[in-house]
Amino acid sequence: GGGGGGGTPPGAAPGGGSDAGGWARLRPLNVGDVLDGMFRLFLRHWRQYLLAVAVILVPLNLVTSWLQRDLFAGAGLLEMFGDPTVAQGMAAEGPPGAQIFAGFGVQGVAALVVTPFVTGVVTVLAARAHLGQPVSAADGLRTAGRRYFALVIANFLVYLAVGGLAAALLVPVIAVFVVGAATEPVIGILLGITLTLLAVVAGAVLIVLFLVATPAIVIEQRGPLSALGRSASLVRRRFWPVVGVGLLTWLISTLIASVFVWPFQIPAMLVGGQVAFVLTTLGTIVGTVLVTPLLPNAHTLIYYDLRVRAEALDLEHMAAALDDPPGGHAA
């Protein structure tokens, strides 16, 4: 069903009128346009992006790092190379299980209740920036906040769909392995691997189909189920191009995250101690704050591209701008 939520949707100009210039930015986008846009939108409005993202992610990363502080603050590699007994002692003690559980527990909760909100905030900023409208961190937080429950529920439903599909295929995988081990081990292993790969592919298909659900929630003000259906409807018309650009943008953002994190991570592993904890925390914060906006930017551009191709959204905005010019009088 359709979702509620007040405020001005990112697709409309503030004050109720149409964005007279925004339609000119709506056009079919190729891979290069999406790749350029995911960086350009961020660089053009980097202050607003960083403020909106940092206000959420910095406290979260500080809490997560503090819960796992002893994992980062052990002996460094330089100390281990100088005294092999240090490594032997650490191996005998084993990792602090409680801190591992606490840290990953916070990360799991964040993936369900924080990440969808951050993605929604960035999507609002990206939509306004792409249409040439004013970009404000406060507006992004406020608009996504009104759609918070829809964002969280939609994200949970995606996890549920992918996890349910994986669980449904897990039973035959286990059965094949068990039966194959008792009869034809090689054939059983090959069939098990094949079914596992099919499960991975099926999960990836679902993720791609729901790729633009967040823009549907914050831009079109849809509810979670309606947004998932809307995303699937738009994506399936250009499934393989979306797969290609989606995979490429994910790989690029992952590589960039590594570039930002490893300059902190390598010295941390070498020196250990409390310095390692500080360096690891800084690296995590820098990497997440700078890289998090990239994928939502790309997905927002993909969303507009799909609507332009399927619904002539550019012509719709152009007609609205002509009917409602900046002076307020129709031509």
Side-chain angles (χ1 to χ4, degrees):
T8 305
S18 301
D19 176 16
W23 63 267
R25 301 168 182 261
L26 293 173
R27 57 183 177 82
L29 303 175
N30 57 35
V31 175
D33 294 327
V34 175
L35 294 178
D36 173 69
M38 69 186 284
F39 294 102
R40 176 174 42 80
L41 296 179
F42 174 70
L43 294 175
R44 183 175 295 172
H45 305 282
W46 63 270
R47 293 181 181 86
Q48 293 84 357
Y49 273 93
L50 291 184
L51 178 59
V53 172
V55 74
I56 306 169
L57 293 184
V58 170
L60 176 65
N61 284 319
L62 287 175
V63 170
T64 303
S65 296
W66 177 255
L67 290 174
Q68 296 179 311
R69 60 192 180 279
D70 288 343
L71 298 179
F72 305 135
L77 293 177
L78 295 178
E79 184 179 356
M80 292 182 191
F81 291 148
D83 185 0
T85 60
V86 173
Q88 295 172 1
M90 292 179 62
E93 292 177 5
Q99 290 201 2
I100 294 177
F101 179 79
F104 281 106
V106 171
Q107 292 175 358
V109 172
L112 289 174
V113 302
V114 178
T115 301
F117 177 56
V118 176
T119 304
V121 172
V122 176
T123 300
V124 174
L125 301 183
R128 296 201 186 283
H130 183 54
L131 295 180
Q133 298 172 354
V135 177
S136 163
D139 176 63
L141 291 165
R142 183 169 52 250
T143 302
R146 294 192 182 101
R147 310 298 300 140
Y148 176 76
F149 290 107
L151 290 167
V152 171
I153 292 172
N155 184 67
F156 176 75
L157 290 176
V158 173
Y159 277 117
L160 194 63
V162 174
L165 181 62
L169 292 173
L170 182 62
V171 174
V173 168
I174 294 175
V176 166
F177 271 117
V178 171
V179 174
T183 56
E184 296 289 341
V186 175
I187 296 178
I189 291 173
L190 291 176
L191 287 175
I193 293 174
T194 301
L195 287 175
T196 302
L197 291 176
L198 288 176
V200 172
V201 170
V205 168
L206 288 180
I207 292 174
V208 172
L209 286 174
F210 300 143
L211 195 69
V212 295
T214 295
I217 290 173
V218 299
I219 295 173
E220 299 183 36
Q221 306 288 291
R222 290 177 177 264
L225 288 175
S226 176
L228 293 176
R230 171 69 161 158
S231 177
S233 176
L234 287 172
V235 170
R236 69 168 176 253
R237 306 181 191 195
R238 288 182 52 81
F239 180 79
W240 290 112
V242 173
V243 169
V245 70
L247 180 60
L248 185 58
T249 53
W250 177 79
L251 289 173
I252 291 174
S253 64
T254 302
L255 178 61
I256 294 175
S258 301
V259 169
F260 281 116
V261 170
W262 279 108
F264 296 90
Q265 196 73 28
I266 293 175
M269 290 188 297
L270 289 174
V271 300
Q274 294 302 319
V275 175
F277 165 65
V278 174
L279 288 174
T280 303
T281 303
L282 286 176
T284 302
I285 290 174
V286 170
T288 55
V289 170
L290 292 179
V291 177
T292 292
L294 297 182
L295 275 183
N297 278 355
H299 296 170
T300 303
L301 294 173
I302 292 171
Y303 162 82
Y304 277 120
D305 173 65
L306 293 173
R307 288 195 63 186
V308 166
R309 294 176 186 274
E311 304 168 353
L313 184 64
D314 51 340
L315 299 180
E316 177 184 328
H317 272 246
M318 181 174 63
L322 294 175
D323 289 339
D324 187 16
H329 301 287

